[in-house]
């Protein structure tokens, strides 16, 4: 990485010196925007946003049952390493683009800047809607997972039986609380962020050490690294029999890929971060790297600590992770560990909502969503987009409603989040490769590795986008339908249909606020000068 901006033109590369002390507001003005959000985040806090949203202690426990049934320990361990490798390539490619265009719009803004002018609005429109879908779904997945674990904790030493309608009510309460924090506690977010970083790092380590140290016995390495399980068949016939074991391996990587999702949070917070052109990119890469190490550590700890596989999978708590806690540290110890997990999930959902609202604010600022004139307003008191905070809460709640009548709704929501976000990551990365002459590098870049990394990242995203819309349970019926294809199809149909019918006539891509205001001022000045001139002419006559 270097502190020079590289301008690519034909086969020649010209180097332009970049000042060490970056004026963030001037950089934002260069991209056409005013500084409206409060800029007071450091690199550590920017990293903390993505680290908290990735939240390995949220993603892995939430989908641990899915992982055990869909490939088992072998896919969970080795599959995670493969996913982590390719996700790092995606992060490296994203970081390069983020450094060149550090703005809250993130992927949809990048898509416009990297396209040919005549295609910029369309690229921005499609990217923005996929990113919005992914942002809403990831918030829903995180906070619904938190509600699930609260329901599970309530079963300890009680007669409470979790039901979908009760869990959805808890989920609503979780979302409202997170919305209130993002509304009235904006000035506290950076401090909560610092707590969240340590909660996740220390909490994950404490959970793993506690269960490994207290476990009466441990599974063998052969079990952890070599056991393949296919419980995808509702009627006993799984996909490994109906299709092939490879099919199960592919769909089994969802746990890993969903866990390593949401690192664009660092990009969406760049307008609130000092030295944004470097901090946003480093925040993305650090979040993926640190999370990958902690996640594998957590997966191994949980798998080695399983006491009885069947009892864990069929736990009366409904959560195998909770059963592992009960079997290793007892009920009182399990309550403590569950509080650690639930706390991490709550922090994760809170900052997912923060990132989500910033993306919606930026997209509304550029006229990309219905009601944009209402939603792009920033609270003068808190310098925060309060209206999009509650828009994000509302949409996230709606997306989780199918859980009332579907047994695979949660895994579908996680698939939607993964596909939506990663497609929005892929579009600007692909455009950066196709229209390489238009790309002006920022202070962070990959040098000669830029193109190979970007190409592999796009191929990986294309692969998982197909993999995660596939059926997850066999046979497929109304209860087991993976409705990811439905949600993604609705968004695709809406954004394409609305584009053809209307948006192409008025949506021009990212709006240059400063240029618009300058043009307006010039219009006022011109009108004033005409009035003055007219008055003088009248006096002469």
């Amino acid at each position: 990485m270097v502190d020079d901006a590289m301008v690519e033109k034909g086969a020649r590369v010209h180097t332009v010196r970049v000042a060490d002390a970056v004026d963030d507001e001037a950089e934002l003005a260069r991209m056409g925007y005013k500084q409206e959000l409060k800029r007071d985040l450091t690199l550590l806090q920017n990293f903390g946003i993505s680290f908290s949203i990735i939240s390995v202690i949220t993603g892995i426990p939430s989908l641990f049952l899915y992982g055990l049934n869909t490939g088992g320990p072998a896919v969970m361990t080795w599959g995670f390493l493969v996913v982590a490798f390719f996700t790092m390539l995606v992060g490296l490619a994203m970081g390069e683009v983020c450094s060149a265009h550090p703005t809250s719009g993130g992927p949809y803004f990048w898509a416009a800047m990297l396209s040919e002018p005549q295609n910029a609005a369309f690229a921005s429109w499609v990217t923005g809607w996929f990113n919005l879908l992914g942002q809403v779904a990831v918030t829903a997945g995180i906070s619904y997972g938190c509600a699930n674990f609260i329901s599970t904790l309530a079963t300890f030493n009680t007669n409470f039986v979790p039901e979908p309608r009760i869990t959805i009510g808890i989920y609503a309460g979780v979302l409202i609380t997170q919305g209130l924090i993002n509304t009235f506690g904006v000035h506290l977010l950076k401090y909560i962020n610092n707590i969240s970083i340590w909660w996740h790092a220390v909490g994950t380590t404490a959970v793993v050490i506690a269960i490994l140290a207290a476990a009466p016995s441990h599974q063998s390495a052969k079990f952890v690294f070599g056991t393949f399980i296919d419980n995808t068949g509702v009627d006993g016939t799984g996909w490994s029999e109906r299709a092939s074991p490879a099919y199960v391996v592919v769909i089994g990587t969802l746990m890993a890929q969903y866990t390593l999702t949401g690192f664009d949070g660092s990009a969406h917070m760049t307008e609130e971060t000092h030295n944004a052109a470097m901090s946003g990119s480093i925040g993305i890469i650090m979040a993926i790297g640190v999370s990958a190490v902690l996640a594998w550590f957590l997966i191994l700890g949980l798998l080695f600590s399983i006491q009885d596989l069947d009892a864990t999978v069929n736990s009366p708590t409904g959560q195998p992770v909770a059963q592992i806690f009960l079997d290793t540290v007892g009920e009182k110890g399990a309550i403590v560990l569950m509080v650690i997990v639930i706390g991490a999930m709550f922090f994760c959902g809170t900052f997912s909502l923060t990132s989500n609202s910033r993306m919606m604010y930026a997209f509304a600022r550029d006229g990309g969503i219905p009601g944009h004139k209402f939603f792009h307003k920033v609270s003068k008191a808190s310098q925060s987009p309060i209206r999009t905070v509650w828009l994000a809460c509302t949409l996230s709640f709606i997306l989780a409603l199918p859980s009332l009548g579907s047994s695979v709704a949660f895994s579908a929501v996680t698939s939607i989040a993964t596909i939506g976000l990663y497609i929005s990551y892929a579009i600007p990365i692909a455009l950066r490769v196709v229209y390489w002459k238009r790309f002006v590098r920022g202070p962070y870049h990959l040098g000669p590795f830029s193109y190979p990394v970007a190409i592999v990242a796009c191929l990986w995203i294309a692969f998982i986008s197909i993999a995660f819309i596939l059926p997850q349970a066999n046979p497929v019926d109304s209860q087991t339908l993976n409705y990811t294809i439905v949600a993604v199809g609705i968004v695709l149909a809406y954004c394409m249909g609305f584009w053809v019918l209307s948006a192409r006539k008025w949506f021009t891509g990212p709006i240059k606020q400063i240029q618009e205001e300058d043009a307006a001022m010039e219009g006022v000045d011109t009108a004033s000068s005409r009035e003055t001139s007219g008055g003088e002419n009248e006096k002469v006559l």
Side-chain angles (χ1 to χ4, degrees):
M1 317 308 169
V2 296
D3 289 328
D4 299 333
M6 303 295 292
V7 183
E8 300 177 344
K9 185 176 181 181
R12 300 177 62 190
V13 180
H14 305 282
T15 303
V16 180
R17 297 297 302 173
V18 178
D20 291 335
V22 178
D23 186 338
D24 291 306
E25 290 190 24
E27 179 68 8
L28 193 59
R30 179 188 65 79
M31 293 184 284
Y33 294 115
K34 298 183 297 180
Q35 183 69 51
E36 294 181 305
L37 301 174
K38 187 175 182 180
R39 191 184 293 273
D40 65 349
L41 299 181
T42 63
L43 167 60
L44 179 64
Q45 289 160 342
N46 182 280
F47 150 78
I49 294 290
S50 284
F51 181 62
S52 295
I53 295 172
I54 291 174
S55 182
V56 300
I57 204 170
T58 294
I60 290 170
S62 296
L63 285 177
F64 201 73
L65 178 59
Y66 176 88
L68 285 176
N69 285 326
T70 317
V75 174
M76 296 169 78
T77 52
W78 297 115
F80 185 87
L81 293 180
V82 172
V83 169
F85 172 77
F86 285 106
T87 302
M88 179 57 78
L89 295 185
V90 174
L92 288 169
M94 269 185 64
E96 190 174 47
V97 180
C98 179
S99 182
H101 304 289
T103 175
S104 292
Y108 89 84
F109 180 91
W110 305 339
M113 296 300 101
L114 297 171
S115 298
E116 293 290 351
Q118 64 270 25
N119 301 322
F122 178 68
S124 178
W125 175 263
V126 174
T127 305
W129 275 102
F130 271 106
N131 193 244
L132 189 149
L133 171 67
Q135 290 276 344
V136 170
V138 81
T139 300
I142 293 164
S143 296
Y144 190 80
C146 182
N148 262 329
F149 269 69
I150 292 173
S151 293
T152 299
L153 179 58
T155 65
F156 287 14
N157 200 29
T158 69
N159 295 321
F160 175 73
V161 178
E163 295 179 11
R165 60 184 181 82
I166 296 175
T167 302
I168 206 77
I170 297 172
Y171 170 57
V174 169
L175 278 177
I176 290 171
T177 306
Q178 292 166 340
L180 290 172
I181 291 173
N182 275 278
T183 299
F184 300 108
V186 177
H187 61 292
L188 299 175
L189 281 178
K190 66 178 181 179
Y191 303 110
I192 298 173
N193 185 20
N194 291 338
I195 295 171
S196 177
I197 294 172
W198 289 106
W199 187 284
H200 278 85
V202 177
T204 303
T205 305
V207 166
V208 175
I209 292 174
I211 59 177
L212 285 174
S217 63
H218 297 97
Q219 294 289 342
S220 66
K222 182 179 180 180
F223 169 83
V224 171
F225 296 106
T227 302
F228 176 82
I229 299 172
D230 177 17
N231 287 334
T232 59
V234 176
D235 59 1
T237 303
W239 284 114
S240 62
E241 293 182 51
R242 185 174 177 183
S244 76
Y247 181 92
V248 179
V249 170
V250 168
I251 63 174
T253 58
L254 174 61
M255 184 195 78
Q257 194 65 79
Y258 170 68
T259 297
L260 296 177
T261 296
F263 44 85
D264 60 321
S266 288
H268 294 304
M269 300 305 292
T270 49
E271 288 186 34
E272 297 166 70
T273 304
H274 297 295
N275 193 17
M278 281 298 290
S279 296
S281 303
I282 295 172
I284 289 170
I285 296 161
M286 280 179 60
I288 296 171
V290 174
S291 296
V293 172
L294 276 177
W296 208 57
F297 182 51
L298 178 59
I299 291 171
L300 293 181
L302 290 169
L303 290 174
F304 273 113
S305 300
I306 292 175
Q307 299 302 297
D308 183 315
L309 180 60
D310 290 336
T312 300
V313 171
N314 301 304
S315 172
T317 68
Q319 296 291 344
V321 170
Q323 191 62 48
I324 293 171
F325 291 167
L326 289 169
D327 292 343
T328 54
V329 297
E331 189 172 272
K332 291 183 179 179
I335 291 173
V336 173
L337 298 186
M338 287 291 285
V339 168
I340 292 175
V341 173
I342 291 169
M345 289 177 168
F346 186 82
F347 284 134
C348 177
T350 299
F351 289 108
S352 176
L353 189 61
T354 305
S355 173
N356 194 342
S357 63
R358 269 53 175 184
M359 183 274 157
M360 288 184 176
Y361 153 75
F363 203 27
R365 178 176 62 185
D366 294 330
I369 62 176
H372 58 87
K373 291 182 179 179
F374 175 80
F375 287 116
H376 90 281
K377 300 296 183 182
V378 174
S379 167
K380 293 182 180 179
S382 63
Q383 292 182 282
S384 180
I386 304 303
R387 295 177 182 180
T388 53
V389 166
W390 292 102
L391 174 62
C393 286
T394 303
L395 294 178
S396 297
F397 180 76
I398 292 171
L399 190 60
L401 288 178
S403 64
L404 291 171
S406 172
S407 60
V408 295
F410 182 75
S411 59
V413 168
T414 60
S415 293
I416 294 167
T418 305
I419 290 174
L421 286 178
Y422 274 92
I423 288 178
S424 73
Y425 300 166
I427 294 173
I429 294 172
L431 291 171
R432 181 258 178 278
V433 173
V434 174
Y435 299 115
W436 56 275
K437 291 183 180 181
R438 296 183 55 80
F439 183 66
V440 180
R441 291 174 174 170
Y444 163 86
H445 65 83
L446 301 175
F449 298 102
S450 178
Y451 297 112
V453 167
I455 291 169
V456 174
C458 289
L459 291 174
W460 175 253
I461 293 172
F463 168 72
I464 63 173
S465 297
I466 296 171
F468 298 153
I469 63 174
L470 298 174
Q472 297 166 345
N474 179 52
V476 179
D477 55 31
S478 60
Q479 281 291 306
T480 61
L481 174 70
N482 180 0
Y483 72 92
T484 302
I485 185 69
V486 177
V488 173
I490 289 173
V491 170
L492 188 61
Y494 171 82
C495 75
M496 292 297 186
F498 196 48
W499 174 262
V500 171
L501 295 175
S502 177
R504 63 187 174 86
K505 301 174 184 177
W506 50 264
F507 183 75
T508 58
I511 293 171
K512 305 295 185 182
Q513 288 176 310
I514 293 176
Q515 289 180 12
E516 283 197 342
E517 290 189 0
D518 288 345
M521 289 302 296
E522 287 178 7
V524 171
D525 291 343
T526 301
S528 298
S529 64
R530 284 176 180 171
E531 290 177 4
T532 303
S533 176
E536 290 175 352
N537 289 337
E538 287 175 5
K539 289 178 182 179
V540 171
L541 292 173

